[in-house]
mmCIF file of all heavy atoms in Angstrom:
data_model
loop_
_atom_site.group_PDB
_atom_site.id
_atom_site.type_symbol
_atom_site.label_atom_id
_atom_site.label_comp_id
_atom_site.label_asym_id
_atom_site.label_seq_id
_atom_site.Cartn_x
_atom_site.Cartn_y
_atom_site.Cartn_z
ATOM 1 N N VAL A 247 74.958 81.013 120.188
ATOM 2 C CA VAL A 247 74.401 81.188 121.477
ATOM 3 C C VAL A 247 74.340 79.766 122.154
ATOM 4 O O VAL A 247 74.741 79.645 123.305
ATOM 5 C CB VAL A 247 72.887 81.735 121.489
ATOM 6 C CG1 VAL A 247 72.169 81.566 122.840
ATOM 7 C CG2 VAL A 247 72.966 83.208 121.149
ATOM 8 N N LYS A 248 73.971 78.751 121.423
ATOM 9 C CA LYS A 248 73.942 77.430 121.854
ATOM 10 C C LYS A 248 75.321 76.886 122.226
ATOM 11 O O LYS A 248 75.571 76.184 123.360
ATOM 12 C CB LYS A 248 73.255 76.375 120.905
ATOM 13 C CG LYS A 248 71.675 76.531 120.889
ATOM 14 C CD LYS A 248 71.190 75.610 119.846
ATOM 15 C CE LYS A 248 69.745 75.903 119.714
ATOM 16 N NZ LYS A 248 69.111 75.117 118.594
ATOM 17 N N GLU A 249 76.258 77.109 121.366
ATOM 18 C CA GLU A 249 77.670 76.565 121.507
ATOM 19 C C GLU A 249 78.350 77.376 122.644
ATOM 20 O O GLU A 249 79.045 76.654 123.427
ATOM 21 C CB GLU A 249 78.433 76.749 120.194
ATOM 22 C CG GLU A 249 79.805 76.219 120.276
ATOM 23 C CD GLU A 249 80.558 76.408 118.933
ATOM 24 O OE1 GLU A 249 79.874 76.322 117.859
ATOM 25 O OE2 GLU A 249 81.745 76.610 119.064
ATOM 26 N N LEU A 250 78.354 78.702 122.638
ATOM 27 C CA LEU A 250 79.099 79.464 123.549
ATOM 28 C C LEU A 250 78.490 79.784 124.790
ATOM 29 O O LEU A 250 79.196 80.147 125.798
ATOM 30 C CB LEU A 250 79.497 80.828 122.815
ATOM 31 C CG LEU A 250 80.191 80.728 121.443
ATOM 32 C CD1 LEU A 250 80.308 82.002 120.778
ATOM 33 C CD2 LEU A 250 81.610 80.153 121.716
ATOM 34 N N ARG A 251 77.168 79.646 124.960
ATOM 35 C CA ARG A 251 76.418 79.943 126.190
ATOM 36 C C ARG A 251 76.871 81.269 126.792
ATOM 37 O O ARG A 251 77.472 81.408 127.924
ATOM 38 C CB ARG A 251 76.617 78.829 127.232
ATOM 39 C CG ARG A 251 76.111 77.518 126.709
ATOM 40 C CD ARG A 251 76.091 76.495 127.885
ATOM 41 N NE ARG A 251 75.500 75.255 127.612
ATOM 42 C CZ ARG A 251 74.128 75.159 127.479
ATOM 43 N NH1 ARG A 251 73.356 76.054 127.602
ATOM 44 N NH2 ARG A 251 73.571 73.828 127.317
ATOM 45 N N PRO A 252 76.734 82.405 125.990
ATOM 46 C CA PRO A 252 77.270 83.693 126.485
ATOM 47 C C PRO A 252 76.485 84.213 127.687
ATOM 48 O O PRO A 252 75.264 83.846 127.963
ATOM 49 C CB PRO A 252 77.036 84.576 125.287
ATOM 50 C CG PRO A 252 75.792 83.944 124.631
ATOM 51 C CD PRO A 252 76.008 82.407 124.762
ATOM 52 N N SER A 253 77.122 85.049 128.548
ATOM 53 C CA SER A 253 76.528 85.693 129.635
ATOM 54 C C SER A 253 75.666 86.887 129.094
ATOM 55 O O SER A 253 74.704 87.215 129.815
ATOM 56 C CB SER A 253 77.563 86.145 130.589
ATOM 57 O OG SER A 253 78.440 87.142 129.966
ATOM 58 N N ALA A 254 76.017 87.378 127.991
ATOM 59 C CA ALA A 254 75.286 88.511 127.433
ATOM 60 C C ALA A 254 75.400 88.459 125.884
ATOM 61 O O ALA A 254 76.455 87.979 125.378
ATOM 62 C CB ALA A 254 75.773 89.902 128.067
ATOM 63 N N VAL A 255 74.402 88.968 125.219
ATOM 64 C CA VAL A 255 74.466 89.077 123.745
ATOM 65 C C VAL A 255 74.158 90.506 123.466
ATOM 66 O O VAL A 255 73.086 91.028 123.776
ATOM 67 C CB VAL A 255 73.359 88.155 123.047
ATOM 68 C CG1 VAL A 255 73.477 88.414 121.569
ATOM 69 C CG2 VAL A 255 73.736 86.697 123.304
ATOM 70 N N ARG A 256 75.116 91.170 122.873
ATOM 71 C CA ARG A 256 74.956 92.572 122.389
ATOM 72 C C ARG A 256 74.671 92.585 120.898
ATOM 73 O O ARG A 256 75.441 92.159 120.172
ATOM 74 C CB ARG A 256 76.194 93.355 122.620
ATOM 75 C CG ARG A 256 76.494 93.824 124.061
ATOM 76 C CD ARG A 256 77.726 94.731 123.998
ATOM 77 N NE ARG A 256 78.230 94.728 125.329
ATOM 78 C CZ ARG A 256 79.518 94.528 125.659
ATOM 79 N NH1 ARG A 256 80.382 94.497 124.697
ATOM 80 N NH2 ARG A 256 79.913 94.398 126.962
ATOM 81 N N ILE A 257 73.549 93.096 120.601
ATOM 82 C CA ILE A 257 73.196 93.246 119.173
ATOM 83 C C ILE A 257 73.548 94.753 118.774
ATOM 84 O O ILE A 257 72.878 95.644 119.372
ATOM 85 C CB ILE A 257 71.665 92.889 118.908
ATOM 86 C CG1 ILE A 257 71.464 91.457 119.304
ATOM 87 C CG2 ILE A 257 71.345 93.088 117.451
ATOM 88 C CD1 ILE A 257 70.023 91.015 119.485
ATOM 89 N N LEU A 258 74.369 94.917 117.820
ATOM 90 C CA LEU A 258 74.834 96.278 117.484
ATOM 91 C C LEU A 258 74.107 96.628 116.234
ATOM 92 O O LEU A 258 74.163 95.977 115.154
ATOM 93 C CB LEU A 258 76.296 96.333 117.294
ATOM 94 C CG LEU A 258 77.240 95.824 118.379
ATOM 95 C CD1 LEU A 258 78.713 96.122 118.114
ATOM 96 C CD2 LEU A 258 76.788 96.450 119.743
ATOM 97 N N SER A 259 73.449 97.761 116.247
ATOM 98 C CA SER A 259 72.700 98.286 115.071
ATOM 99 C C SER A 259 73.630 99.420 114.517
ATOM 100 O O SER A 259 73.664 100.464 115.071
ATOM 101 C CB SER A 259 71.401 98.818 115.481
ATOM 102 O OG SER A 259 70.744 99.436 114.330
ATOM 103 N N MET A 260 74.156 99.263 113.325
ATOM 104 C CA MET A 260 75.035 100.238 112.774
ATOM 105 C C MET A 260 74.281 101.131 111.822
ATOM 106 O O MET A 260 74.770 102.135 111.352
ATOM 107 C CB MET A 260 76.165 99.482 112.011
ATOM 108 C CG MET A 260 77.133 98.804 113.039
ATOM 109 S SD MET A 260 78.524 97.907 112.323
ATOM 110 C CE MET A 260 79.429 99.205 111.521
ATOM 111 N N GLN A 261 73.012 100.896 111.623
ATOM 112 C CA GLN A 261 72.053 101.806 110.914
ATOM 113 C C GLN A 261 70.838 101.916 111.821
ATOM 114 O O GLN A 261 69.692 101.560 111.367
ATOM 115 C CB GLN A 261 71.758 101.346 109.610
ATOM 116 C CG GLN A 261 72.862 101.402 108.540
ATOM 117 C CD GLN A 261 72.547 101.032 107.228
ATOM 118 O OE1 GLN A 261 72.133 99.858 106.954
ATOM 119 N NE2 GLN A 261 72.768 101.959 106.300
ATOM 120 N N PRO A 262 70.996 102.448 113.026
ATOM 121 C CA PRO A 262 69.914 102.411 114.059
ATOM 122 C C PRO A 262 68.699 103.295 113.639
ATOM 123 O O PRO A 262 67.637 103.037 114.261
ATOM 124 C CB PRO A 262 70.532 102.806 115.275
ATOM 125 C CG PRO A 262 71.658 103.672 114.795
ATOM 126 C CD PRO A 262 72.187 103.069 113.527
ATOM 127 N N ASP A 263 68.795 104.147 112.704
ATOM 128 C CA ASP A 263 67.583 104.949 112.344
ATOM 129 C C ASP A 263 66.734 104.392 111.209
ATOM 130 O O ASP A 263 65.752 104.974 110.850
ATOM 131 C CB ASP A 263 68.180 106.355 111.853
ATOM 132 C CG ASP A 263 68.872 107.082 113.003
ATOM 133 O OD1 ASP A 263 68.500 106.934 114.215
ATOM 134 O OD2 ASP A 263 69.968 107.771 112.717
ATOM 135 N N PHE A 264 67.128 103.214 110.740
ATOM 136 C CA PHE A 264 66.325 102.550 109.719
ATOM 137 C C PHE A 264 65.384 101.571 110.280
ATOM 138 O O PHE A 264 65.849 100.645 111.084
ATOM 139 C CB PHE A 264 67.258 101.818 108.777
ATOM 140 C CG PHE A 264 67.964 102.777 107.796
ATOM 141 C CD1 PHE A 264 69.137 103.472 108.252
ATOM 142 C CD2 PHE A 264 67.614 103.039 106.484
ATOM 143 C CE1 PHE A 264 69.785 104.387 107.366
ATOM 144 C CE2 PHE A 264 68.191 103.963 105.693
ATOM 145 C CZ PHE A 264 69.291 104.592 106.079
ATOM 146 N N VAL A 265 64.181 101.701 109.957
ATOM 147 C CA VAL A 265 63.127 100.821 110.526
ATOM 148 C C VAL A 265 63.311 99.345 110.312
ATOM 149 O O VAL A 265 63.181 98.512 111.156
ATOM 150 C CB VAL A 265 61.730 101.292 110.024
ATOM 151 C CG1 VAL A 265 60.643 100.258 110.432
ATOM 152 C CG2 VAL A 265 61.315 102.633 110.463
ATOM 153 N N GLU A 266 63.854 99.100 109.057
ATOM 154 C CA GLU A 266 64.159 97.595 108.707
ATOM 155 C C GLU A 266 65.148 97.074 109.646
ATOM 156 O O GLU A 266 65.047 95.906 110.071
ATOM 157 C CB GLU A 266 64.568 97.589 107.302
ATOM 158 C CG GLU A 266 63.628 98.021 106.222
ATOM 159 C CD GLU A 266 63.683 99.412 105.943
ATOM 160 O OE1 GLU A 266 64.458 100.278 106.668
ATOM 161 O OE2 GLU A 266 62.986 99.973 104.946
ATOM 162 N N GLU A 267 66.198 97.884 109.962
ATOM 163 C CA GLU A 267 67.284 97.293 110.846
ATOM 164 C C GLU A 267 66.682 97.176 112.274
ATOM 165 O O GLU A 267 67.085 96.290 112.967
ATOM 166 C CB GLU A 267 68.548 98.116 110.724
ATOM 167 C CG GLU A 267 69.557 97.500 111.683
ATOM 168 C CD GLU A 267 70.945 97.833 111.140
ATOM 169 O OE1 GLU A 267 71.289 97.603 109.942
ATOM 170 O OE2 GLU A 267 71.797 98.277 111.964
ATOM 171 N N GLN A 268 65.912 98.190 112.709
ATOM 172 C CA GLN A 268 65.246 98.035 114.062
ATOM 173 C C GLN A 268 64.491 96.731 114.164
ATOM 174 O O GLN A 268 64.535 96.087 115.182
ATOM 175 C CB GLN A 268 64.344 99.285 114.259
ATOM 176 C CG GLN A 268 65.100 100.586 114.410
ATOM 177 C CD GLN A 268 64.160 101.762 114.369
ATOM 178 O OE1 GLN A 268 62.964 101.643 114.427
ATOM 179 N NE2 GLN A 268 64.763 102.964 114.375
ATOM 180 N N ARG A 269 63.772 96.410 113.111
ATOM 181 C CA ARG A 269 62.939 95.104 113.128
ATOM 182 C C ARG A 269 63.902 93.947 113.299
ATOM 183 O O ARG A 269 63.559 92.958 113.998
ATOM 184 C CB ARG A 269 62.125 95.041 111.890
ATOM 185 C CG ARG A 269 60.918 96.007 111.920
ATOM 186 C CD ARG A 269 60.091 95.807 110.703
ATOM 187 N NE ARG A 269 59.025 96.803 110.689
ATOM 188 C CZ ARG A 269 58.705 97.477 109.658
ATOM 189 N NH1 ARG A 269 59.343 97.246 108.464
ATOM 190 N NH2 ARG A 269 57.825 98.453 109.598
ATOM 191 N N VAL A 270 64.970 93.950 112.483
ATOM 192 C CA VAL A 270 65.930 92.807 112.508
ATOM 193 C C VAL A 270 66.463 92.689 113.857
ATOM 194 O O VAL A 270 66.555 91.504 114.441
ATOM 195 C CB VAL A 270 66.980 92.913 111.372
ATOM 196 C CG1 VAL A 270 68.067 91.993 111.608
ATOM 197 C CG2 VAL A 270 66.412 92.737 110.004
ATOM 198 N N CYS A 271 66.965 93.780 114.434
ATOM 199 C CA CYS A 271 67.555 93.729 115.750
ATOM 200 C C CYS A 271 66.574 93.290 116.791
ATOM 201 O O CYS A 271 66.920 92.415 117.700
ATOM 202 C CB CYS A 271 68.132 95.077 116.105
ATOM 203 S SG CYS A 271 69.533 95.568 115.138
ATOM 204 N N ALA A 272 65.375 93.734 116.746
ATOM 205 C CA ALA A 272 64.308 93.379 117.716
ATOM 206 C C ALA A 272 63.943 91.890 117.568
ATOM 207 O O ALA A 272 63.811 91.157 118.603
ATOM 208 C CB ALA A 272 63.081 94.232 117.533
ATOM 209 N N SER A 273 63.915 91.416 116.355
ATOM 210 C CA SER A 273 63.573 89.993 116.133
ATOM 211 C C SER A 273 64.768 89.115 116.682
ATOM 212 O O SER A 273 64.533 88.077 117.240
ATOM 213 C CB SER A 273 63.458 89.770 114.694
ATOM 214 O OG SER A 273 63.254 88.408 114.337
ATOM 215 N N LEU A 274 66.004 89.524 116.427
ATOM 216 C CA LEU A 274 67.167 88.741 116.960
ATOM 217 C C LEU A 274 67.137 88.727 118.467
ATOM 218 O O LEU A 274 67.359 87.719 119.119
ATOM 219 C CB LEU A 274 68.520 89.372 116.508
ATOM 220 C CG LEU A 274 68.878 88.983 115.075
ATOM 221 C CD1 LEU A 274 70.020 89.835 114.623
ATOM 222 C CD2 LEU A 274 69.283 87.486 114.944
ATOM 223 N N ALA A 275 66.850 89.875 119.066
ATOM 224 C CA ALA A 275 66.775 90.004 120.552
ATOM 225 C C ALA A 275 65.690 89.073 121.148
ATOM 226 O O ALA A 275 65.923 88.422 122.150
ATOM 227 C CB ALA A 275 66.569 91.505 120.999
ATOM 228 N N ALA A 276 64.608 89.019 120.510
ATOM 229 C CA ALA A 276 63.463 88.260 120.961
ATOM 230 C C ALA A 276 63.889 86.737 120.807
ATOM 231 O O ALA A 276 63.554 85.933 121.725
ATOM 232 C CB ALA A 276 62.186 88.493 120.139
ATOM 233 N N SER A 277 64.568 86.400 119.720
ATOM 234 C CA SER A 277 64.952 85.073 119.572
ATOM 235 C C SER A 277 66.018 84.446 120.491
ATOM 236 O O SER A 277 66.097 83.334 120.860
ATOM 237 C CB SER A 277 65.410 84.782 118.084
ATOM 238 O OG SER A 277 66.666 85.289 117.859
ATOM 239 N N VAL A 278 66.837 85.423 121.008
ATOM 240 C CA VAL A 278 67.915 85.033 122.007
ATOM 241 C C VAL A 278 67.383 85.116 123.368
ATOM 242 O O VAL A 278 67.753 84.269 124.223
ATOM 243 C CB VAL A 278 69.093 86.047 121.806
ATOM 244 C CG1 VAL A 278 70.026 85.894 122.937
ATOM 245 C CG2 VAL A 278 69.691 85.881 120.466
ATOM 246 N N GLY A 279 66.492 86.031 123.713
ATOM 247 C CA GLY A 279 65.897 86.155 125.078
ATOM 248 C C GLY A 279 66.480 87.177 125.890
ATOM 249 O O GLY A 279 67.076 88.149 125.406
ATOM 250 N N SER A 280 66.300 87.063 127.264
ATOM 251 C CA SER A 280 66.622 88.145 128.053
ATOM 252 C C SER A 280 68.048 88.557 128.236
ATOM 253 O O SER A 280 68.379 89.646 128.711
ATOM 254 C CB SER A 280 66.093 87.831 129.524
ATOM 255 O OG SER A 280 66.749 86.644 129.972
ATOM 256 N N ILE A 281 68.985 87.774 127.766
ATOM 257 C CA ILE A 281 70.419 88.063 127.874
ATOM 258 C C ILE A 281 70.773 89.051 126.606
ATOM 259 O O ILE A 281 71.885 89.565 126.609
ATOM 260 C CB ILE A 281 71.360 86.844 127.793
ATOM 261 C CG1 ILE A 281 71.185 86.046 126.624
ATOM 262 C CG2 ILE A 281 71.134 86.086 129.130
ATOM 263 C CD1 ILE A 281 72.271 84.972 126.397
ATOM 264 N N ALA A 282 69.858 89.397 125.713
ATOM 265 C CA ALA A 282 70.138 90.139 124.551
ATOM 266 C C ALA A 282 69.727 91.541 124.736
ATOM 267 O O ALA A 282 68.716 91.868 125.357
ATOM 268 C CB ALA A 282 69.392 89.575 123.370
ATOM 269 N N THR A 283 70.627 92.479 124.348
ATOM 270 C CA THR A 283 70.328 93.948 124.352
ATOM 271 C C THR A 283 70.757 94.457 122.957
ATOM 272 O O THR A 283 71.630 93.951 122.354
ATOM 273 C CB THR A 283 71.103 94.683 125.483
ATOM 274 O OG1 THR A 283 72.413 94.430 125.362
ATOM 275 C CG2 THR A 283 70.579 94.262 126.857
ATOM 276 N N VAL A 284 69.944 95.571 122.581
ATOM 277 C CA VAL A 284 70.280 96.249 121.251
ATOM 278 C C VAL A 284 70.928 97.466 121.567
ATOM 279 O O VAL A 284 70.566 98.352 122.437
ATOM 280 C CB VAL A 284 69.077 96.409 120.522
ATOM 281 C CG1 VAL A 284 69.298 97.166 119.214
ATOM 282 C CG2 VAL A 284 68.309 95.042 120.166
ATOM 283 N N HIS A 285 71.998 97.816 120.821
ATOM 284 C CA HIS A 285 72.879 98.999 121.090
ATOM 285 C C HIS A 285 72.987 99.744 119.745
ATOM 286 O O HIS A 285 73.545 99.110 118.778
ATOM 287 C CB HIS A 285 74.225 98.685 121.523
ATOM 288 C CG HIS A 285 74.192 97.944 122.886
ATOM 289 N ND1 HIS A 285 74.132 98.544 124.080
ATOM 290 C CD2 HIS A 285 74.074 96.597 123.149
ATOM 291 C CE1 HIS A 285 74.157 97.636 125.072
ATOM 292 N NE2 HIS A 285 73.990 96.488 124.473
ATOM 293 N N PRO A 286 72.594 100.995 119.620
ATOM 294 C CA PRO A 286 72.911 101.781 118.431
ATOM 295 C C PRO A 286 74.370 102.138 118.350
ATOM 296 O O PRO A 286 74.922 102.399 119.374
ATOM 297 C CB PRO A 286 72.030 103.047 118.541
ATOM 298 C CG PRO A 286 71.826 103.134 120.069
ATOM 299 C CD PRO A 286 71.765 101.733 120.528
ATOM 300 N N VAL A 287 74.957 101.907 117.139
ATOM 301 C CA VAL A 287 76.357 102.324 117.054
ATOM 302 C C VAL A 287 76.433 103.352 115.866
ATOM 303 O O VAL A 287 76.057 103.023 114.752
ATOM 304 C CB VAL A 287 77.195 101.055 116.721
ATOM 305 C CG1 VAL A 287 78.511 101.494 116.357
ATOM 306 C CG2 VAL A 287 77.163 100.098 117.831
ATOM 307 N N ARG A 288 77.013 104.547 116.175
ATOM 308 C CA ARG A 288 77.043 105.553 115.171
ATOM 309 C C ARG A 288 78.477 106.019 114.880
ATOM 310 O O ARG A 288 78.676 106.977 114.054
ATOM 311 C CB ARG A 288 76.152 106.722 115.571
ATOM 312 C CG ARG A 288 74.715 106.442 115.591
ATOM 313 C CD ARG A 288 73.820 107.717 115.885
ATOM 314 N NE ARG A 288 72.460 107.437 115.533
ATOM 315 C CZ ARG A 288 71.580 106.930 116.445
ATOM 316 N NH1 ARG A 288 71.936 106.581 117.675
ATOM 317 N NH2 ARG A 288 70.335 106.793 116.109
ATOM 318 N N SER A 289 79.388 105.442 115.467
ATOM 319 C CA SER A 289 80.784 105.879 115.243
ATOM 320 C C SER A 289 81.697 104.690 115.405
ATOM 321 O O SER A 289 81.431 103.622 116.047
ATOM 322 C CB SER A 289 81.173 106.982 116.259
ATOM 323 O OG SER A 289 81.325 106.466 117.580
ATOM 324 N N LEU A 290 82.912 104.860 114.857
ATOM 325 C CA LEU A 290 83.986 103.858 114.951
ATOM 326 C C LEU A 290 84.337 103.621 116.449
ATOM 327 O O LEU A 290 84.629 102.540 116.841
ATOM 328 C CB LEU A 290 85.178 104.386 114.168
ATOM 329 C CG LEU A 290 86.228 103.355 113.817
ATOM 330 C CD1 LEU A 290 85.713 102.166 113.071
ATOM 331 C CD2 LEU A 290 87.326 103.987 113.032
#
């Protein structure tokens, strides 16, 4: 994030139904800030 200065950060959750992964994704989104969004991914 510091090096690339992205316009958006997409956090992809490949196991979105697991509470542990939901927590990790939410924590990452909070650490990145308002440019971060979490997206469940259930298929190739």
Side-chain angles (χ1 to χ4, degrees):
V247 169
K248 285 179 186 169
E249 180 183 328
L250 301 170
R251 299 188 171 289
S253 60
V255 176
R256 282 189 206 131
I257 301 168
L258 307 186
S259 177
M260 293 178 68
Q261 290 184 300
D263 300 322
F264 287 81
V265 172
E266 297 89 352
E267 186 152 306
Q268 292 169 7
R269 287 185 189 132
V270 167
C271 291
S273 176
L274 280 169
S277 73
V278 170
S280 63
I281 62 169
T283 53
V284 177
H285 303 267
V287 173
R288 291 187 168 86
S289 71
L290 195 60

